[in-house]
Amino acid sequence: MSMREAIAAYVHDGDTVSLEGFTHLIPTAAGHEIIRQGRRNLTVVRMTADIVVDQMLAGGCVSKLVSSFVGNSSAGSLGELRRRIEHKVPEPLEFEEYSHYGMVCRYLAGAQRLPFYPLRSYAGSGLTSVNDGIRKVVSPYPAPDGGEEHVYVVPPVNPDVTIVHAQRADRAGNTQIWGLTGIQAEAVFAAERAVVVVEEIVDDEVVRSDPNRTVIPAHAVDAVVVCPRGAHPSFAQGYYDRDNAFYRAWSHISKDSARLRGWLAEWVYGTRDHEEYVARLGEAFWADLAVGDAWSLPVNYGRRL
C-alpha cells in the first residue's frame, strides 16, 4: 500500500497506536501521515517518546501517551510534550510511565497473550507510586528461604495497530532488520494490525538467502509500505545516517509553540507525502547523510546435495 492508504485503512480515531524503533528506524513518515490525515484521540505507545511524538502532539492527534522515556534523544527537550504535562497547555496529556524494561515486558505479555509479566526492577522505584498499573503479586513458588516472595508485574499492551520501520521486506511482508534493533517484533505480535514501512521491497530470493535477518514474518503483517528515507531524522543502518543537526534544532523549534506549528505547516501539512518532504530537503542534504559500505561476510547455510 501507499502510506496514505495504509494509515487510512489501519489507523482510526481513538485507536491505541504503537510506534516502535529504538533510536534506529523510527517510523517518522508514518507519524507525519497520521498528522496529515487528522487522526484524533489516539493513545500512543512508544518505548522512547521522542520527536515524532512531539510532532503528533502538536498536530492534535494524541490524548494519552504510554512510554518509558521522553526526550529529544540526548539533544534536549520536547517542548510540546512539556507544555502538555507541566502546564496543561493547550490541553492536558494523560501520561502513563514505565521503565524501559517495563515496556519491554508489557509488549512480551501482549505478544504472548499473557495477563501480566513479572520483573524485579521496580523494587525501590518511585514509579510504583505514580502508576497503579505496576502491581505486586505473590509468587506461586516459595522463596529460597521457604517464605513468600513478592514480585512486581506489569499488564500486557495490545495496540490496535503497530507501525514499525525496517530496511527491507518482500512483497508478502517478511521483514528484515539489522543494526540496532528494539522491540519491533514483539510490538507487532502484540497488535491486532501491523503496518511495516520499509526502505525497499526486495525479491523473495533475497530474503530467503539470509533468513536469520527476518525479524517479522509475513503472517504478522497487514500492510507493507515502501517509503525511502522514512525514518528521518533517525537513521536506517546501511541506508542513511542520523541527522544530528535536526535533533539539535528540534529543541529550539519545539520550545516555541508558534514556531513548532510553523514547522508543521511547512514540512507536514505543506507536503503531500514523504516523497515531497524528501525532495524539498534536496539531494545535497541527503548526500551529507550518505553512508559508506560495510558489508557483512557471506554465510553458508548449507543445503542437501
Side-chain angles (χ1 to χ4, degrees), residues 200-258:
E200 61 176 330
I201 290 284
V202 295
D203 292 337
D204 296 357
E205 290 73 19
V206 174
V207 170
R208 290 173 182 162
S209 73
D210 197 359
N212 282 20
R213 271 188 234 284
T214 303
V215 174
I216 300 167
H219 68 261
V221 176
D222 293 279
V224 179
V225 174
V226 182
C227 186
R229 298 166 172 167
H232 177 265
S234 71
F235 66 105
Q237 189 78 39
Y239 290 78
Y240 47 90
D241 206 350
R242 187 177 189 264
D243 185 356
N244 291 311
F246 185 88
Y247 279 93
R248 288 191 294 270
W250 186 254
S251 293
H252 303 287
I253 294 169
S254 67
K255 186 176 182 180
D256 183 330
S257 179

Side-chain angles (χ1 to χ4, degrees), residues 47-70:
M47 192 165 73
T48 53
D50 48 11
I51 287 176
V52 68
V53 172
D54 214 27
Q55 293 168 349
M56 291 173 68
L57 281 166
C61 304
V62 184
S63 59
K64 179 178 179 179
L65 174 64
V66 181
S67 184
S68 57
F69 163 89
V70 292

Side-chain angles (χ1 to χ4, degrees), residues 120-142:
R120 290 191 178 278
S121 56
Y122 286 128
S125 166
L127 275 178
T128 58
S129 66
V130 298
N131 184 348
D132 63 7
I134 302 169
R135 301 183 184 178
K136 193 183 287 187
V137 300
V138 178
S139 170
Y141 304 102

Side-chain angles (χ1 to χ4, degrees), residues 175-189:
T175 304
Q176 297 195 324
I177 297 175
W178 58 94
L180 181 62
T181 57
I183 199 71
Q184 290 99 318
E186 291 79 1
V188 164
F189 279 115

Side-chain angles (χ1 to χ4, degrees), residues 155-173:
V157 60
N158 293 109
D160 294 297
V161 59
T162 287
I163 304 173
V164 299
H165 196 97
Q167 280 103 333
R168 67 189 184 198
D170 63 20
R171 293 183 184 279

Side-chain angles (χ1 to χ4, degrees), residues 20-52:
E20 282 305 339
F22 188 78
T23 301
H24 176 225
L25 298 171
I26 296 169
T28 309
H32 289 176
E33 186 58 30
I34 290 170
I35 297 169
R36 286 191 195 96
Q37 295 194 18
R39 293 295 179 270
R40 292 293 180 266
N41 196 32
L42 300 179
T43 294
V44 168
V45 182
R46 175 155 172 71
M47 192 165 73
T48 53
D50 48 11
I51 287 176
V52 68

